[in-house]
């Protein structure tokens, strides 16, 4: 029994793929209601799967696992599946896609003497995602802190980031001036939900908060024994989680838009913990994590509005 609990997170590709498909089935209830529109849910599902695969690639590239484990895919799909308010908000998954690209660029910039390219592209990506979620601009300081954590910050890197931000602002100004009607279509972030959660959403949010605390603390246990790249990834994820949570409530109008970022941070931390901490305690946490997720999904089904 102890051996089973200790190694339960060492999923085979078949088991991981099966669990990932089951987690993706949590989107099915959205097709049984009148809201949201079907195309929004379909697009969100596709982007969510893409982000899950990209998270698996990130975990492998950093060297947390020696093989491309499917566990990160399952962790991300499961947590997004529990947060039913994200099932139709494809803008949030677009923001996470851009954010993961930035994290990958930051990993490439580790101890680089010339991270100008990574700084320029990262700033440009965050600026572009701001077309979908304007609140993503608040994550620019996280990028600069991340470059410092990667020991790649210097004057040229700062100037490259500022130039990228300036070019994007210039593009927005010119586009909105010359083509106001066409540009208004891109500014879809204005219609994105900026509201505090309803009473029905409090249980999943409480689950997310508990998971954030558990995985944040677990990721810091034995932190000194990890390799430098893994340490820098954990620090960047913790910064993203902290900034997104703070901005969700101060002011509260940013709540919904940054929820997807918080979910991504917690899912990435959970994948890191499950991949690097093989123990009986982590096996128990893994099982409880899945059971609580299924319980929340069951409650969602019971409260499901129908046509």
């Amino acid at each position: 029994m102890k051996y089973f609990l200790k190694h339960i997170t060492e999923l085979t590709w078949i088991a991981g793929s099966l669990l990932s498909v089951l987690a993706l089935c949590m989107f099915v209830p959205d097709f049984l209601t009148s809201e949201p529109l079907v195309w929004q849910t379909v697009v969100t599902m596709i982007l969510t799967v893409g982000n899950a695969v990209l998270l698996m690639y990130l975990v492998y590239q950093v060297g947390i696992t020696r093989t491309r484990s499917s566990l990160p895919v399952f962790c991300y799909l499961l947590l997004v599946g529990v947060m039913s308010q994200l099932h139709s908000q494809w803008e949030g998954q677009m923001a996470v896609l851009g954010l993961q690209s930035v994290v990958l660029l930051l990993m490439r910039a580790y101890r680089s003497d010339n991270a100008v390219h990574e700084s320029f592209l990262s700033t440009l990506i965050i600026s572009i995602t701001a077309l979908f979620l304007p609140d993503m601009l608040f994550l620019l300081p996280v990028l600069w802190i991340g470059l410092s954590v990667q020991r790649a910050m210097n004057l040229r890197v700062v100037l490259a980031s500022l130039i990228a931000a300036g070019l994007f602002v210039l593009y927005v100004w010119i586009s909105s001036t010359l083509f106001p009607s066409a540009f208004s279509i891109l500014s879809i972030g204005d219609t994105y939900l900026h509201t505090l959660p309803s009473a029905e959403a409090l249980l999943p949010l409480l689950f997310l908060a508990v998971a954030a605390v558990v995985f944040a603390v677990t990721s810091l246990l034995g932190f000194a024994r990890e390799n430098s790249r893994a340490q820098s990834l954990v620090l960047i994820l913790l910064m993203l989680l902290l900034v997104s949570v703070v901005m969700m409530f101060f002011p509260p109008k940013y709540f919904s838009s940054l929820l997807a970022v918080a979910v991504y941070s917690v899912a990435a931390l959970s994948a890191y913990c499950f991949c690097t901490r093989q123990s009986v305690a982590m096996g128990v946490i893994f099982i409880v994590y899945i059971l609580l997720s299924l319980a929340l999904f069951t409650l969602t089904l019971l409260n499901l509005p129908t046509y």
Side-chain angles (χ1 to χ4, degrees):
M1 185 64 177
K2 288 184 178 180
Y3 179 85
F4 170 76
L5 291 174
K6 185 176 181 179
H7 297 277
I8 190 174
T9 56
E10 297 177 1
L11 299 178
T12 63
W13 264 100
I14 296 178
S17 300
L18 180 60
L19 288 174
S20 298
V21 171
L22 292 176
L24 198 60
C25 289
M26 292 183 174
F27 281 82
V28 171
D30 291 84
F31 294 99
L32 306 177
T33 61
S34 57
E35 292 291 342
L37 298 178
V38 173
W39 74 265
Q40 293 176 331
T41 303
V42 172
V43 172
T44 304
M45 285 181 63
I46 295 173
L47 290 172
T48 301
V49 173
N51 283 325
V53 174
L54 195 57
L55 176 60
M56 176 187 68
Y57 177 75
L58 173 64
V59 169
Y60 173 73
Q61 282 294 102
V62 174
I64 294 175
T65 59
R66 295 182 180 180
T67 59
R68 296 188 179 182
S69 171
S70 57
L71 183 58
V73 176
F74 170 64
C75 289
Y76 186 71
L77 292 179
L78 180 66
L79 196 53
V80 174
V82 170
M83 309 302 296
S84 58
Q85 56 266 59
L86 295 179
H87 289 187
S88 60
Q89 296 176 355
W90 61 273
E91 301 98 329
Q93 293 305 318
M94 284 293 296
V96 170
L97 180 61
L99 189 62
Q100 286 209 89
S101 303
V102 171
V103 174
L104 283 169
L105 287 170
L106 284 175
M107 292 297 104
R108 282 178 49 186
Y110 181 69
R111 291 186 176 180
S112 173
D113 295 328
N114 187 22
V116 174
H117 181 261
E118 288 79 5
S119 176
F120 182 87
L121 281 182
S122 297
T123 304
L124 202 58
I125 290 172
I126 290 179
S127 300
I128 292 173
T129 56
L131 289 173
F132 303 94
L133 289 176
D135 314 328
M136 288 294 292
L137 290 176
F138 291 105
L139 297 181
L140 276 176
V142 177
L143 167 64
W144 298 328
I145 297 174
L147 288 169
S148 298
V149 170
Q150 297 294 75
R151 303 175 188 178
M153 181 66 81
N154 55 50
L155 182 58
R156 289 184 300 173
V157 169
V158 174
L159 289 176
S161 180
L162 293 177
I163 289 173
L167 288 175
F168 178 76
V169 171
L170 182 62
Y171 163 76
V172 170
W173 179 74
I174 293 175
S175 300
S176 59
T177 302
L178 298 180
F179 312 102
S181 58
F183 188 77
S184 63
I185 299 176
L186 290 176
S187 302
I188 53 180
D190 296 336
T191 62
Y192 194 70
L193 295 177
H194 293 293
T195 56
L196 286 171
S198 60
E200 294 79 7
L202 287 180
L203 279 179
L205 290 174
L206 179 62
F207 172 74
L208 179 66
V210 173
V213 173
V214 170
F215 294 125
V217 172
T218 304
S219 64
L220 293 175
L221 296 177
F223 181 77
R225 295 194 299 270
E226 299 294 340
N227 63 70
S228 300
R229 286 170 60 84
Q231 289 178 347
S232 61
L233 175 62
V234 171
L235 289 176
I236 291 171
L237 291 175
L238 289 175
M239 282 190 298
L240 282 174
L241 177 60
L242 178 62
V243 171
S244 59
V245 169
V246 170
M247 291 307 303
M248 278 161 60
F249 293 99
F250 302 103
K253 70 174 184 176
Y254 298 123
F255 182 86
S256 295
S257 58
L258 289 174
L259 179 60
V261 177
V263 167
Y264 165 74
S265 303
V266 175
L269 286 172
S270 69
Y272 168 80
C273 293
F274 289 137
C275 288
T276 59
R277 308 286 195 272
Q278 275 79 35
S279 65
V280 174
M282 286 308 299
V284 172
I285 291 175
F286 184 70
I287 294 175
V288 172
Y289 186 61
I290 295 177
L291 291 178
L292 287 176
S293 301
L294 292 176
L296 289 172
F297 176 65
T298 302
L299 288 176
T300 301
L301 289 179
L302 294 177
N303 296 322
L304 186 67
T306 57
Y307 288 106

